[in-house]
Amino acid sequence: MIDVPPGLSVTAQGPAHLPEVLTPEALGFVADLHRRFNPERQRLMAARRDRQAAFDGGALPDFLPETVHIRDDSSWSVASAPPDLDDRRVEITGPAEPKMMINALNSGARVFMADFEDALSPTWENVITGQWAVREAVRHRLSFQTDEKTYGLGQRLATLVIRPRGWHLDEAHILVDGSPVSASLFDFGLTFFHNAREQLERGSGPYFYLPKLESHVEARLWNDVFAVAQERVGVPRGSVRATVLIETILAAFEMDEILYELRDHAAGLNAGRWDYIFSIIKKFHSRADKILPDRGQVTMAVPFMRAYQQLLVRTCHARGAHAIGGMSAFIPNRREPEVTERALAAVREDKEREAGDGSDGTWVAHPDLVPVAGEVFDRVLGERPNQKQKARMDVTPTAAQLLDVSVPGGAITERGVRGNVSVGLSYLASWLAGNGAAAINNLMEDAATAEISRSQLWQWRTHGVQLADGRPISADIYAGVHDEELSRLRRALPDFQWTDAAALLDELVLSDRFAEFLTLLAYPRLV
């Protein structure tokens, strides 16, 4: 049993490291943050719903007229980067799980993002073990033992950055005054409380990635949280550095404003490409003129994605912030060298485009991609830690360019439907089994890819979009493909629990209403 402060309850037992993570002081810190900031969080979530209703009624986003003075004011910039967060040429990401964390920290990447969000299935054991692993990693004593091998940290480690869950999520296993605690404040509060002082004493700091923001007002709430947390723990204001993932179409119109709200704590922006694509489908799911083709055809080379990436670079460099490119999710396969070489060529092309656009670094999902991406950025950066001097004043994307989601030559095919069904089933089965980073078809997939898959299927079915062969996509076509893919997957992995995944995908695709996040629908099944 653990000692729980008044007004709090823990609804689950274990796992092994629970007493080390959920100390009375840490729980009290989290509860104080929740009581102070949850009312504003709830207000902002209601504002999201109101904006979505406006989009469903035909409205479209635009650059905000009321904040034009922030965008036009060239005099402000974000805080300068700490030394260990100034060179970010290659960043590796993965779930906050001990073995993966050790491999990522040892990978040779400059930065490692330990993920409590899309790459972590939030079972109680995963969440608590992840918090313990972060605590151990900060103190350079994290290890992991298998029957074959002992994993330990090396001498040269990547700079650790933490991604908490988004504002929309709750942590059901902790109740504050009878209601679930904000998952964002739970993840942030525990990592900050346990590690901020230790990180600063070791010459680093409490660094975070912020997911799923839809407005600068949501960034302002994070900034308020940082200010209070630093004061209560007794570390200097500005110790926190936060990089915001621009992974919603709405945030793309408020990049300047987001950096401005966080300017004392801002480190940069990241082009979260997969969630960005999902956000476009989600926000415009009711519009027949905003339908995307097969997922594989929506690359960073298409015009609206290029506009988004280049605007991010221009905005960041105008404010002294890092501009970080998107994820390469490929997993090298030593058994298929030809497949691997073709994929690596595509990774190089992607990273060369990002570096050429002015990005200061990029994301990879596998240690074997660190040298590939590093070679590209080494060639561009040389000994410089970044290329913030590349101002990109030639870039002037308009709202129309960001919103014109047409893809030259794009098509919707049975292969695309089949791929979305297969990936949706595979990922949901993995997530429900407790694994949020799933290797599927030589790619390391997280929740963002499953979100694209299920949301495209819903949108295509709802609008009766025609396949390339002329057939309209219907519930019957989906059901036929679903049954075929499910049978194939069952044969390949008979021990997997496919029934719940199949039922969940059906609910996401066949419902009359579009589900905002699959994780909101799936989490009660996990709990």
Side-chain angles (χ1 to χ4, degrees), residues 340-350:
T340 294
E341 189 49 48
R342 285 197 299 272
L344 290 179
V347 170
R348 289 188 191 95
E349 181 183 3
D350 180 50

Side-chain angles (χ1 to χ4, degrees), residues 249 276-285 292 304 405:
I249 181 65
Y276 189 77
I277 294 169
F278 164 57
S279 172
I280 288 171
I281 302 167
K282 176 170 68 173
K283 291 303 174 187
F284 308 134
H285 64 262
L292 296 176
F304 74 94
V405 299

Side-chain angles (χ1 to χ4, degrees), residues 342-409:
R342 285 197 299 272
L344 290 179
V347 170
R348 289 188 191 95
E349 181 183 3
D350 180 50
K351 301 313 170 191
E352 286 168 356
R353 180 169 48 246
E354 289 179 335
D357 282 343
S359 295
D360 303 295
T362 191
W363 266 16
V364 299
H366 192 279
D368 286 357
L369 293 185
V370 171
V372 178
E375 177 189 348
V376 172
F377 276 86
D378 288 347
R379 195 163 58 244
V380 171
L381 296 179
E383 296 300 315
R384 291 177 288 121
N386 53 64
Q387 52 179 335
K388 292 179 185 179
Q389 79 286 348
K390 192 167 186 175
R392 295 309 311 266
M393 299 305 291
D394 57 308
V395 173
T396 55
T398 64
Q401 289 174 311
L402 292 172
L403 293 171
D404 180 4
V405 299
S406 57
V407 176

Side-chain angles (χ1 to χ4, degrees), residues 419-438:
N420 280 345
V421 170
S422 179
V423 169
L425 288 169
S426 298
Y427 185 80
L428 289 172
S430 176
W431 193 90
L432 290 169
N435 177 26

Side-chain angles (χ1 to χ4, degrees), residues 141-219:
R141 63 191 187 204
L142 180 63
S143 64
F144 184 78
Q145 180 76 47
T146 68
D147 292 338
E148 296 81 23
K149 184 177 179 180
T150 298
Y151 295 81
L153 296 176
Q155 293 299 310
R156 182 173 178 268
L157 302 179
T159 297
L160 180 64
V161 181
I162 306 298
R163 178 162 71 168
R165 283 169 281 180
W167 280 132
H168 59 290
L169 295 169
D170 292 331
E171 173 48 66
H173 298 93
I174 299 289
L175 303 182
V176 179
D177 304 326
S179 298
V181 70
S182 159
S184 299
L185 297 176
F186 180 80
D187 295 343
F188 164 78
L190 288 178
T191 54
F192 186 86
F193 181 85
H194 285 303
N195 303 301
R197 285 198 200 93
E198 183 76 21
Q199 287 168 310
L200 290 165
E201 289 172 3
R202 289 176 175 269
S204 187
Y207 307 147
F208 295 89
Y209 258 106
L210 304 181
K212 306 287 193 295
L213 295 189
E214 295 192 4
S215 74
H216 68 285
V217 186
E218 294 180 14

Side-chain angles (χ1 to χ4, degrees), residues 448-468:
T449 309
E451 292 281 32
I452 296 172
S453 297
R454 65 89 179 179
S455 61
Q456 282 200 313
L457 291 168
W458 186 96
Q459 192 180 43
W460 293 346
R461 177 193 66 80
T462 302
H463 291 279
V465 174
Q466 285 192 340
L467 292 168

Side-chain angles (χ1 to χ4, degrees), residues 43-234:
R43 188 189 72 78
L44 292 174
M45 295 305 97
R48 282 190 184 182
R49 293 190 288 273
D50 291 344
R51 291 190 81 184
Q52 184 62 58
F55 299 139
D56 292 344
L60 286 171
D62 202 345
F63 296 100
L64 302 178
E66 64 268 29
T67 55
V68 66
H69 63 285
I70 294 174
R71 296 193 298 276
D72 288 349
D73 183 356
S74 61
S75 66
W76 66 269
S77 61
V78 304
S80 59
D84 65 337
L85 204 59
D86 200 26
D87 189 329
R88 306 177 63 174
R89 63 188 69 197
V90 183
E91 302 190 353
I92 190 168
T93 77
E97 297 173 352
K99 180 181 173 183
M100 289 194 177
M101 288 181 63
I102 292 167
N103 288 337
L105 287 164
N106 290 338
S107 68
R110 302 301 177 103
V111 171
F112 164 54
M113 186 197 78
D115 196 11
F116 285 91
E117 204 227 6
D118 273 1
L120 188 83
S121 174
T123 66
W124 187 229
E125 181 170 359
N126 283 349
V127 169
I128 295 300
T129 302
Q131 287 285 345
W132 171 82
V134 168
R135 195 169 182 269
E136 295 297 292
V138 166
R139 290 156 179 81
H140 293 196
R141 63 191 187 204
L142 180 63
S143 64
F144 184 78
Q145 180 76 47
T146 68
D147 292 338
E148 296 81 23
K149 184 177 179 180
T150 298
Y151 295 81
L153 296 176
Q155 293 299 310
R156 182 173 178 268
L157 302 179
T159 297
L160 180 64
V161 181
I162 306 298
R163 178 162 71 168
R165 283 169 281 180
W167 280 132
H168 59 290
L169 295 169
D170 292 331
E171 173 48 66
H173 298 93
I174 299 289
L175 303 182
V176 179
D177 304 326
S179 298
V181 70
S182 159
S184 299
L185 297 176
F186 180 80
D187 295 343
F188 164 78
L190 288 178
T191 54
F192 186 86
F193 181 85
H194 285 303
N195 303 301
R197 285 198 200 93
E198 183 76 21
Q199 287 168 310
L200 290 165
E201 289 172 3
R202 289 176 175 269
S204 187
Y207 307 147
F208 295 89
Y209 258 106
L210 304 181
K212 306 287 193 295
L213 295 189
E214 295 192 4
S215 74
H216 68 285
V217 186
E218 294 180 14
R220 181 184 302 159
L221 178 56
W222 269 119
N223 198 69
D224 292 343
V225 170
F226 296 156
V228 168
Q230 290 166 137
E231 180 181 358
R232 292 192 179 175
V233 170

